[in-house]
Amino acid sequence: MDTKELGRFGEKLAAQLLENQGYQIIERNWRFGREGEIDIIAQDPSGLHTAFIEVKTRSTRGAGGPFAAITARKYRKMRHLALRYCASNPHQIPRLDVIGVDTSGSGQPRVRHLKGVLP
């Protein structure tokens, strides 16, 4: 599986996890021009927050797993894009989340959802 296929696979698993937890998917792969992309935008089950979710999928642990790929620069970009989205979609209370998908082991991939990674 190449990296694009792996990424799509991870995003599919992440969307399934969110839907199973009661989230409503609003957008997938939302782009704001050349400034970047948010993997998944979803309304949380409480209806209070709009979650802007970065999905990282890894097939090996050599680079430290999925969450190690989220840098301070990536957090800043996520925040910037979430604010851009909210500017054109009022009444959204943003929350930045990360979902890590680890397919390095045998058996089922491990999917972990970290909520509110930035204030």
Side-chain angles (χ1 to χ4, degrees):
M1 189 180 310
D2 70 20
T3 55
K4 284 189 179 198
E5 290 173 326
L6 183 65
R8 283 191 296 270
F9 174 73
E11 287 178 15
K12 181 180 175 184
L13 289 178
Q16 288 172 346
L17 171 77
L18 292 167
E19 288 172 339
N20 289 344
Q21 292 178 345
Y23 285 77
Q24 178 187 355
I25 305 295
I26 299 169
E27 302 267 358
R28 289 190 59 182
N29 304 113
W30 179 82
R31 294 195 68 75
F32 188 79
R34 292 182 164 194
E35 293 186 37
E37 175 183 285
I38 298 285
D39 294 327
I40 299 173
I41 301 172
Q43 188 70 42
D44 80 348
S46 72
L48 295 175
H49 294 97
T50 300
F52 295 85
I53 303 161
E54 176 70 16
V55 180
K56 287 296 181 189
T57 306
R58 293 292 181 261
S59 60
T60 65
R61 304 282 295 166
F67 297 115
I70 306 295
T71 63
R73 181 178 179 193
K74 183 62 180 177
Y75 285 127
R76 285 191 305 273
K77 182 172 266 196
M78 286 175 65
R79 183 175 181 186
H80 172 76
L81 291 170
L83 293 174
R84 290 286 199 176
Y85 181 90
C86 290
S88 60
N89 296 278
H91 311 297
Q92 306 290 323
I93 300 174
R95 186 183 77 207
L96 301 181
D97 293 2
V98 177
I99 294 180
V101 180
D102 184 349
T103 65
S104 66
S106 59
Q108 295 286 64
R110 291 181 302 278
V111 182
R112 189 166 163 221
H113 183 185
L114 299 180
K115 301 173 188 173
V117 294
L118 280 179

